[in-house]
Amino acid sequence: MAYQISTSLAIYFVLWWLVLFLTLPFGVRSQHEEGVGAPGTDPGAPIMARMGRKLLWTTGLSAVIFAIGMWAYYAGYLSVERLSKLMGMPF
């Protein structure tokens, strides 16, 4: 049981970081695009990153994707035998 919990947490952790890197570029406006900026800063630096909102979206999307993956695993769609057969590899 402990292996299942720790494995699930590790999978969710990796999935969460993957989704975070996918959501980071959404809604970011640079200083160059807005026409404002402090002297000496990079024109590509974001004005407002809104990280709190992105962390909430990341957590929600990761939970949904993780739930779909767990459902597919327990339904038998993500078994090692099935995936190896799909790739044409003997099990």
Side-chain angles (χ1 to χ4, degrees):
M1 181 71 175
Y3 290 125
Q4 291 175 348
I5 292 172
S6 61
T7 302
S8 297
L9 288 174
I11 290 170
Y12 182 78
F13 179 75
V14 171
L15 181 64
W16 189 90
W17 277 102
L18 179 68
V19 173
L20 175 66
F21 286 125
L22 291 173
T23 59
L24 279 177
F26 290 104
V28 175
R29 302 282 301 171
S30 68
Q31 294 179 12
H32 176 72
E33 292 172 332
E34 292 292 322
V36 296
T41 60
D42 186 78
I47 294 175
M48 291 184 71
R50 296 190 174 121
M51 284 305 295
R53 181 179 290 174
K54 290 181 183 183
L55 294 176
L56 290 174
W57 272 102
T58 298
T59 303
L61 286 172
S62 298
V64 169
I65 294 169
F66 183 76
I68 291 170
M70 289 300 287
W71 171 81
Y73 175 74
Y74 283 116
Y77 296 116
L78 290 178
S79 66
V80 174
E81 296 86 12
R82 183 179 176 107
L83 294 175
S84 64
K85 195 180 299 184
L86 183 66
M87 292 190 287
M89 300 169 61
F91 181 68

